[in-house]
Amino acid sequence: EIQAFHLEAKHASDLELSQARGEIDDLRRRLERSERHVQESEQGAEVKLLDLQTRLREAEDARRQLHNTIQELRGNIRVFARVRPFLPSDNENHITKATPIQLGADGASVTLIDGPITNNDSTNDDVPFAGRKPTSHRFAYDKVFGPSDGQEAVFIEVANFVQSALDGYQVCLFAYGQTGSGKTHTMQGDGHGPMRGIIPRTMDQVAAYLADKRERGWRYELTVTYVEIYNDTVRDLLVRPETDTESKRKAANLEVRRDPKSGRTYADGATAIPVDPV
């Protein structure tokens, strides 16, 4: 009886062990199928991701080409005129209700009146050029901003140039005019609100562009140079005070060069400072 009991127990144990091995083999096969399914899913996801990235790059290239084609059609060289308001220092009391500047209805022209400008409240003694027949001179531009146009209106018109620069094209924006005409106000502006000029608004646009691209995995390095061109002399305005005399001498008269490979124009030897506007 004891021997029979041991044989029965051994048989039961072998049966349980065989069932356990069968369950293990079944679980192993399930795990292998799951792993293959995961690998296939990952491979499929990678293929889809690569496809989406390729399509995104193609769409970005198409956007860049279309954007800059539009800019070329609008004109690679554009001239804007900005008429600032009269200031007390302009002796505006001589021009009480009339004005020697008339903006065109087309938004792209301005007419200057050269001669006596009269109104019902003025006498001959108060009128400039009294006794002369008035003459008008009309000037046409790509865009004219009136005295009531703010900083944002000006930047909206030039923001497309900033985008072209971010797309890799060579861009130059500069203000030209006599002393007191508003160049610094237009380019730099004042404060951090609506009075900001083109330069701080450009840096905001660059920062937004970099932040968007970084979220997509792009990496950027941004450096800034700051030079002055005065009487045909290019000066480095970022040269450090501790710089040696010879370097300061070179910084006071930089040479403008053009890279034959990239076509980029640059001031040779100008101090370049890394910045991160984000």
Side-chain angles (χ1 to χ4, degrees):
E1 292 181 0
I2 294 175
Q3 186 177 3
F5 176 76
H6 281 295
L7 290 174
E8 185 177 348
K10 183 177 183 302
H11 177 71
S13 177
D14 291 341
L15 181 61
E16 290 178 358
L17 182 59
S18 177
Q19 291 176 346
R21 288 175 177 172
E23 292 177 358
I24 291 173
D25 291 339
D26 183 59
L27 290 173
R28 184 180 292 110
R29 287 192 294 270
R30 291 183 181 180
L31 180 60
E32 291 175 352
R33 286 196 299 268
S34 298
E35 289 177 347
R36 285 196 300 270
H37 179 70
V38 170
Q39 290 177 354
E40 292 173 356
S41 299
E42 289 178 348
Q43 292 174 354
E46 289 179 358
V47 171
K48 290 182 179 179
L49 180 60
L50 291 174
D51 179 63
L52 290 174
Q53 290 176 340
T54 301
R55 293 166 62 182
L56 180 61
R57 283 194 297 269
E58 292 174 350
E60 179 66 15
D61 290 340
R63 180 209 61 78
R64 182 184 298 110
Q65 293 176 2
L66 289 174
H67 173 82
N68 289 283
T69 297
I70 293 173
Q71 301 312 307
E72 291 176 357
L73 291 175
R74 295 181 65 185
N76 284 333
I77 299 177
R78 275 176 258 175
V79 181
F80 301 151
R82 189 177 191 186
V83 181
R84 68 162 173 77
F86 283 106
L87 302 175
S89 58
D90 296 325
N91 203 12
E92 188 182 356
N93 61 310
H94 286 310
I95 313 169
T96 53
K97 292 184 179 180
T99 174
I101 301 175
Q102 297 177 358
L103 303 181
D106 57 2
S109 63
V110 59
T111 300
L112 303 183
I113 308 299
D114 181 15
I117 303 170
T118 61
N119 56 64
N120 295 333
D121 298 330
S122 299
T123 64
N124 287 338
D125 294 336
D126 298 326
V127 177
F129 313 109
R132 279 178 48 185
K133 183 179 179 180
T135 58
S136 63
H137 305 274
R138 182 180 181 275
F139 300 90
Y141 302 92
D142 293 286
K143 179 72 176 180
V144 172
F145 300 97
S148 61
D149 290 323
Q151 300 282 64
E152 183 176 3
V154 176
F155 183 72
I156 288 175
E157 195 65 31
V158 303
N160 288 328
F161 290 112
V162 179
Q163 183 59 54
S164 292
L166 292 170
D167 288 341
Y169 291 80
Q170 300 294 324
V171 174
C172 175
L173 296 175
F174 70 92
Y176 177 82
Q178 67 187 46
T179 301
S181 59
K183 303 183 296 296
T184 301
H185 175 72
T186 296
M187 297 301 293
Q188 185 64 43
D190 182 53
H192 302 282
M195 300 303 288
R196 292 173 303 146
I198 289 177
I199 294 174
R201 291 174 185 267
T202 295
M203 295 308 297
D204 289 344
Q205 182 172 341
V206 171
Y209 182 86
L210 296 184
D212 177 69
K213 294 301 182 182
R214 283 176 177 174
E215 290 181 356
R216 303 183 185 184
W218 291 65
R219 295 180 59 189
Y220 281 90
E221 292 181 358
L222 191 64
T223 59
V224 170
T225 58
Y226 191 31
V227 301
E228 175 191 58
I229 303 176
Y230 184 74
N231 287 341
D232 296 329
T233 300
V234 183
R235 296 184 177 91
D236 185 357
L237 299 182
L238 295 181
V239 61
R240 301 184 183 279
E242 64 273 14
T243 304
D244 60 85
T245 304
E246 179 62 19
S247 298
K248 286 184 178 180
R249 185 188 64 79
K250 292 180 179 179
N253 191 9
L254 300 176
E255 293 187 13
V256 177
R257 301 184 184 276
R258 185 177 181 86
D259 189 328
K261 294 183 178 180
S262 65
R264 184 176 67 92
T265 302
Y266 63 98
D268 189 22
T271 303
I273 297 180
V275 296
D276 189 353
V278 180

